[in-house]
Amino acid sequence: MLVSPALNAALREARFDGDTPLDAAGVRAARAAAPHLPAADRYAAGGSARCRATARELGLPAPGGLGVAPTGWELGRWAGRRLDEVAAAEPAAVAAWAGDPEAAPHGGESLRGLLGRVGDWLAAGAWGGTQTPAASPVRLLAVVEPAVVRAAVIHALDLPARAFWRLDTGPLTLTTLTGRPGRWNLATGQPLAPAGAVRGAG
């Protein structure tokens, strides 16, 4: 079960997030969603301040009790900059980044690299160890960046890399993969609060 973190100022401004923490509205939204979090056997979170803060406000175990989940997309020198600013200054670079899964004009990680890294995490046993028998499945809940959720869906459904750009992951939504490496089923975009609750919290 993959939960996308609450909004922060960088996402509201359409910035390539350089690890901006949650603001007060994001904290309130995560707290409102906490009672609707499904139960799990194990918990994990990405390393960003936003993921860790969301996990804390959702009531997940303290950092020492959290497993390690993939970090967000490493976008090099674009981190912290607004998308429209980068597109205006480097239109050819942005076009290459959005059109070629191998391109990394920002000096960070290519889309192919992100997909491979997240795919390796799932294939290796994202739940933290060897899969138990089918009669006793392990339920992992991880708070991860939207790009990681999208990459996991691409890997799980064996979609082409370009489909990444056709997927949207809203804040504080639940994406569930059931099954096992090589045979995943998907349930996506499930809100973690009744309709309007998260929106009203901000």
Side-chain angles (χ1 to χ4, degrees):
M1 296 175 285
L2 305 176
V3 175
S4 55
L7 281 173
N8 62 3
L11 289 183
R12 290 189 178 91
E13 297 170 359
R15 292 183 182 273
F16 296 106
D17 195 353
D19 202 12
T20 305
L22 292 186
D23 54 21
V27 168
R28 291 194 298 272
R31 289 177 179 173
H36 308 280
L37 201 67
D41 302 304
R42 295 175 182 164
Y43 298 91
S48 70
R50 186 166 76 118
C51 284
R52 292 282 167 164
T54 298
R56 182 179 63 249
E57 301 304 335
L58 288 173
L60 270 59
L66 285 175
V68 177
T71 56
W73 196 351
E74 173 51 58
L75 295 175
R77 59 188 175 81
W78 290 356
R81 298 176 64 188
R82 283 203 342 236
L83 174 59
D84 60 351
E85 293 173 343
V86 175
E90 304 179 55
V94 171
W97 171 68
D100 180 1
E102 309 291 345
H106 41 65
E109 184 178 39
S110 69
L111 175 57
R112 188 76 69 191
L114 171 68
L115 296 176
R117 179 164 58 85
V118 174
D120 288 346
W121 179 67
L122 288 173
W127 44 83
T130 304
Q131 177 64 58
T132 58
S136 303
V138 173
R139 298 169 299 174
L140 169 76
L141 190 147
V143 179
V144 293
E145 294 292 343
V148 173
V149 177
R150 294 157 69 189
V153 171
I154 294 293
H155 174 81
L157 300 186
D158 196 24
L159 299 174
R162 65 179 179 275
F164 178 91
W165 301 108
R166 305 291 297 275
L167 300 175
D168 291 321
T169 302
L172 292 171
T173 55
L174 174 67
T175 298
T176 303
L177 299 172
T178 58
R180 62 187 184 280
R183 182 62 175 87
W184 295 106
N185 295 319
L186 169 70
T188 187
Q190 304 161 36
L192 285 178
V198 171
R199 185 180 299 111

